């Protein structure tokens, strides 16, 4: 099977968030960037598991400048076969989806994976936009994926208070949530071979993004916690009703 | 016109859909236009969408809508939006809404913002506010296209009655044949409000020491009419089902009240819950990082405190 995993770059989960002077861009000094965890832990590892069982290849696709190559190399070290980097800054979900889908249209992939969302803009839009442009089925928030035949999969999808089990034929687009696979740490052999795996640079298509960032702000500071005597839960109940007005 | 896609469940309109309609109504007011609703499938209470601001409900009840197929739903919503000349399309930021937004926006050649928490700013342009970096910051995003698609984060606004029951009118659409087959739908406890929609959530962590101790969490949730949740280590250990896990890798929620019992408050957990309006933290460790994000904190033995809080709330309700 020819599998494709779309990966993006995000600030580390524990990063302290601040913005530049006019609040339009993230202040990147002191921030460690990582591969978006949903892309890495669930989408990429699941694709590698399928390739290990069914053969074929796992390609990774990324939109970003060459300074992001270290993230792509990590995906190769974890076990991807080869990589493609579309050489332009990622500015919006619609732009990233357009660039990726335009690349995918020139190739034939059986399954196109994304993470369920990125941990920076938390939009969950790229998968659906790509599926629409490619005119393929899109299954979101998949927690299980079983290949049952060469061109057929059974997928479990998370939804409010439960799961749905879906049968789908390849090709399709899928977004991966927790449960799909277990995180893999690259080993020394993987890191060494990653250096010689192909990382192809792709020229971007012309495109004008459909949204623009006006400004960022930090949420208002929280008031200091009010401690309640553990022996006086009547007081907490009263505060929840009269002060917080939530019960 | 502002068109709101209405999600249903078990033949009824979902709470998230009422919020979306009310959001659509407030947006339409700002734009000086009307808010109409689109219903795919059936809902016995569809006329009541008028109460929250829809002036008309368009319905198509093709059997293709019996199960959720992203392609089928997206195509139908986009088609209805074109046919009705909607300038703004509103969705709920639910699991289905999140799947639809990118697809619908692409089909309408529209810019989109998902998980909006406020009514759009329309004085100059059309800008929408949402949380980013797992709620560590907010962003205002301008949509540059003629048609705009927005999904509304659950529990972001308090709905109120602004109209009366309205007419449900059939709409003809070219409905696609499903490209996937839904084999089964497994829902747990359908009488409990799903976590993303819950106004009150009582959540347990490792401090509870084992699944056999969850009775006190459930009893507190019961008196509060709250939904139960848990931290990641708890769902990883299979003490509680996976779908109860709130946090960065689980579900992100925004209830009015979040009570964290025996949860230390790792940054990944906070990322999923720190948008809650009021946070109560009960923990025996006074150094637990969660206290920094709490409105009310109780330091002590949860096995002693939680039943006392349950009793106090029962008293208050009596």
């Amino acid at each position: 099977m020819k599998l494709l995993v779309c990966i993006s770059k995000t600030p580390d989960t524990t990063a302290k968030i601040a913005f530049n002077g006019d609040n339009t861009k993230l202040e990147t000094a002191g921030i460690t960037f990582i591969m978006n965890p949903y892309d890495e832990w669930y989408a990429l590892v699941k694709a590698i598991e399928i390739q290990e069982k069914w053969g074929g290849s796992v390609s990774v696709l990324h939109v970003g400048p060459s300074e992001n190559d270290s993230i792509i190399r990590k995906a190769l070290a974890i076990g991807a076969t080869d990589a493609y980097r579309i050489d332009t800054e990622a500015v919006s979900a619609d732009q990233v989806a357009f660039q990726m889908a335009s690349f995918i249209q020139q190739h034939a992939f059986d399954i196109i994976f994304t993470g369920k969302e990125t941990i920076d803009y938390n939009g969950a839009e790229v998968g659906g936009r790509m599926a629409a442009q490619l005119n393929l089925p899109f299954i979101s928030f998949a927690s299980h994926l079983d290949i049952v035949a060469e061109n057929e999969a059974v997928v479990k999808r998370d939804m409010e208070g439960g799961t749905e089990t879906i049968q789908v034929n390849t090709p399709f687009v899928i977004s991966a949530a927790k449960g799909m696979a277990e995180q893999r740490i690259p080993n020394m052999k993987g890191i060494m071979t990653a250096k010689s795996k192909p990382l192809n640079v792709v020229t971007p298509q012309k495109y004008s993004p459909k949204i623009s960032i006006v400004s960022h702000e930090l949420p208002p500071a929280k008031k200091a916690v009010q401690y309640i005597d553990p022996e006086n839960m009547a007081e907490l109940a009263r505060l929840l009703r009269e002060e917080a007005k939530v019960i | 016109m502002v068109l709101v896609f209405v999600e249903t469940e078990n033949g009824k309109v979902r709470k998230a859909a009422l919020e979306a309609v009310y959001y659509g109504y407030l947006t339409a007011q700002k734009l000086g236009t009307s808010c109409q609703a689109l219903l795919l499938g059936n809902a016995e209470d569809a006329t009541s969408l008028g109460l929250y601001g829809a002036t008309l409900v368009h319905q198509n009840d093709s059997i293709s809508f019996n199960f959720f197929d992203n392609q089928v739903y997206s195509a139908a919503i986009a088609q209805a939006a074109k046919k009705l000349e909607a300038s703004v399309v509103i969705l709920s930021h639910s699991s289905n809404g999140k799947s639809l937004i990118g697809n619908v926006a692409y089909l309408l050649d529209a810019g989109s913002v998902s998980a909006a928490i406020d009514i759009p700013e329309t004085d100059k342009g059309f800008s929408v506010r949402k949380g980013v970096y797992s709620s560590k910051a907010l962003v205002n995003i301008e949509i540059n296209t003629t048609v705009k698609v927005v999904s509304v984060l659950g529990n972001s606004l308090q709905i109120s009655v602004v109209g009366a029951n309205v007419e449900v009118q059939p709409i003809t659409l070219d409905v696609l044949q499903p490209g996937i087959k839904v084999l089964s739908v497994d829902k747990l406890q359908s009488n409990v409000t799903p976590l993303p929609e819950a106004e009150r959530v009582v959540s347990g962590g490792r401090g509870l020491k084992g699944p056999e101790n969850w009775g006190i969490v459930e009893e507190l949730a019961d008196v509060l009419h709250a939904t139960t949740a848990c931290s990641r280590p708890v769902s990883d250990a299979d003490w509680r089902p996976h779908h109860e896990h709130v946090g960065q890798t689980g579900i992100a929620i925004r209830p009015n009240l979040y009570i964290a019992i025996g949860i230390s408050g790792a940054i990944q957990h906070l990322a999923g819950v720190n948008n809650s309006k009021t946070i109560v933290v009960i923990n025996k460790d006074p150094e637990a990082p969660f206290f920094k994000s709490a409105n009310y904190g109780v330091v002590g033995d949860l096995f002693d405190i939680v039943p006392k809080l349950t009793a106090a709330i029962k008293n208050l309700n009596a």
Side-chain angles (χ1 to χ4, degrees):
Chain A
M1 290 186 113
K2 275 195 78 180
L3 308 166
L4 180 73
V5 183
C6 303
I7 60 171
S8 72
K9 181 184 93 161
T10 62
D12 181 23
T13 326
T14 54
K16 208 163 166 61
I17 299 298
F19 300 97
N20 66 352
D22 63 357
N23 282 322
T24 53
K25 283 206 169 73
L26 184 72
E27 182 54 67
T28 52
I31 288 193
T32 312
F33 285 93
I34 57 169
M35 195 186 328
N36 181 45
Y38 299 111
D39 305 348
E40 180 190 326
W41 302 348
Y42 307 129
L44 176 62
V45 177
K46 186 67 207 186
I48 292 167
E49 283 176 9
I50 293 171
Q51 186 246 355
E52 285 166 350
K53 193 167 164 196
W54 291 81
S57 61
V58 176
S59 300
V60 294
L61 178 61
H62 174 74
V63 176
S66 60
E67 64 187 68
N68 298 357
D69 280 355
S70 58
I71 281 158
I72 301 173
R73 290 286 175 206
K74 185 179 183 193
L76 293 169
I78 292 170
T81 318
D82 55 13
Y84 296 87
R85 179 174 59 78
I86 303 176
D87 190 20
T88 185
E89 206 59 67
V91 294
S92 68
D94 61 271
Q95 174 243 5
V96 168
F98 174 81
Q99 295 295 354
M100 286 183 161
S102 302
F103 168 84
I104 296 165
Q105 280 170 329
Q106 310 299 317
H107 298 73
F109 292 103
D110 296 301
I111 307 176
I112 297 142
F113 291 84
T114 71
K116 74 163 184 173
E117 64 186 39
T118 55
I119 62 166
D120 50 8
Y121 275 74
N122 309 100
E125 288 188 48
V126 171
R129 280 186 173 270
M130 288 199 302
Q133 187 174 339
L134 299 166
N135 196 22
L136 293 179
F138 173 47
I139 298 160
S140 57
F141 317 121
S143 57
H144 289 275
L145 165 61
D146 288 317
I147 306 298
V148 293
E150 191 63 50
N151 64 344
E152 189 187 331
V154 171
V155 182
K156 275 198 174 147
R157 166 177 183 266
D158 291 343
M159 49 197 260
E160 284 81 8
T163 55
E164 248 175 20
T165 308
I166 293 159
Q167 184 185 32
V168 59
N169 290 334
T170 58
F172 59 88
V173 181
I174 188 165
S175 84
K178 192 185 166 204
M180 276 286 253
E182 292 291 333
Q183 181 182 6
R184 285 191 189 183
I185 310 293
N187 56 27
M188 196 41 85
K189 182 164 167 262
I191 294 166
M192 294 314 287
T193 53
K195 289 179 182 156
S196 56
K197 286 178 178 173
L199 195 171
N200 307 287
V201 179
V202 180
T203 309
Q205 304 283 314
K206 259 183 89 82
Y207 185 79
S208 327
K210 297 184 188 306
I211 58 163
S212 40
I213 305 288
V214 182
S215 60
H216 292 91
E217 37 195 280
L218 296 175
K222 233 178 158 136
K223 275 202 291 185
V225 53
Q226 189 176 341
Y227 286 101
I228 316 289
D229 178 358
E231 293 305 320
N232 195 358
M233 284 302 99
E235 174 63 2
L236 178 56
R238 185 192 71 78
L239 287 168
L240 290 176
R241 173 158 297 174
E242 292 172 15
E243 189 177 75
K245 299 190 172 66
V246 288
I247 62 169
Chain B
M1 190 266 283
V2 176
L3 184 67
V4 182
F5 168 61
V6 171
E7 285 187 30
T8 61
E9 187 163 26
N10 304 324
K12 284 195 172 152
V13 170
R14 290 186 48 188
K15 176 176 170 262
L18 299 181
E19 290 173 4
V21 167
Y22 188 65
Y23 184 98
Y25 161 79
L26 295 175
T27 305
Q29 291 277 301
K30 281 197 130 182
L31 297 170
T33 181
S34 72
C35 167
Q36 301 180 9
L38 175 67
L39 171 64
L40 302 177
N42 284 294
E44 56 190 51
D45 51 353
T47 56
S48 70
L49 292 166
L51 299 176
Y52 304 101
T55 52
L56 189 58
V57 179
H58 303 275
Q59 180 189 28
N60 186 299
D61 61 358
S62 159
I63 53 160
S64 292
F65 300 130
N66 287 1
F67 289 104
F68 182 72
D69 179 326
N70 196 66
Q71 260 184 318
V72 174
Y73 270 73
S74 303
I77 296 166
Q79 221 182 99
K82 281 182 185 162
K83 193 169 176 172
L84 300 165
E85 297 180 355
S87 58
V88 181
V89 176
I90 307 287
L91 308 167
S92 306
H93 194 65
S94 60
S95 34
N96 288 355
K98 285 189 226 178
S99 316
L100 290 168
I101 182 165
N103 207 324
V104 169
Y106 178 84
L107 295 174
L108 292 171
D109 204 20
S112 48
V113 175
S114 65
I117 57 169
D118 270 330
I119 306 304
E121 197 53 67
T122 56
D123 293 342
K124 42 177 178 122
F126 190 101
S127 121
V128 183
R129 186 201 292 264
K130 66 170 290 185
V132 283
Y133 301 107
S134 305
S135 313
K136 283 189 269 188
L138 300 164
V139 65
N140 299 301
I141 296 174
E142 179 73 25
I143 303 184
N144 303 322
T145 48
T146 322
V147 179
K148 294 142 177 99
V149 182
V150 177
S151 72
V152 187
L153 190 65
N155 219 25
S156 291
L157 69 179
Q158 211 59 51
I159 58 171
S160 54
V161 173
V162 289
N165 284 347
V166 284
E167 194 191 339
V168 179
Q169 218 173 62
I171 180 168
T172 312
L173 298 170
D174 255 329
V175 182
L176 299 181
Q177 286 302 312
I180 62 164
K181 196 167 151 197
V182 176
L183 302 175
S184 64
V185 179
D186 304 300
K187 283 260 176 180
L188 294 127
Q189 295 179 290
S190 63
N191 56 336
V192 174
T193 313
L195 273 174
E197 293 179 15
E199 286 172 21
R200 289 173 289 273
V201 173
V202 179
S203 190
R206 259 185 305 198
L208 276 137
K209 295 187 177 141
E212 67 279 7
N213 295 327
W214 239 259
I216 55 170
V217 174
E218 282 165 350
E219 281 160 23
L220 178 58
D222 226 36
V223 295
L224 289 167
H225 304 289
T227 303
T228 54
C230 68
S231 65
R232 177 173 180 162
V234 164
S235 78
D236 280 355
D238 281 330
W239 293 1
R240 298 296 291 178
H242 165 62
H243 69 86
E244 276 200 3
H245 162 206
V246 292
Q248 185 151 49
T249 47
I251 306 168
I253 54 169
R254 195 189 160 81
N256 296 341
L257 174 63
Y258 184 74
I259 303 185
I261 301 169
I263 302 175
S264 63
I267 194 156
Q268 291 83 353
H269 184 77
L270 293 178
V273 303
N274 61 4
N275 260 333
S276 308
K277 286 169 198 125
T278 299
I279 296 178
V280 177
V281 171
I282 300 171
N283 205 300
K284 68 170 193 286
D285 176 10
E287 300 298 319
F290 216 152
F291 283 115
K292 287 201 182 78
S293 303
N295 300 85
Y296 304 106
V298 189
V299 180
D301 179 7
L302 66 91
F303 293 103
D304 181 42
I305 292 166
V306 175
K308 280 184 182 155
L309 179 59
T310 306
I313 290 162
K314 265 191 196 155
N315 253 336
L316 204 63
N317 290 341

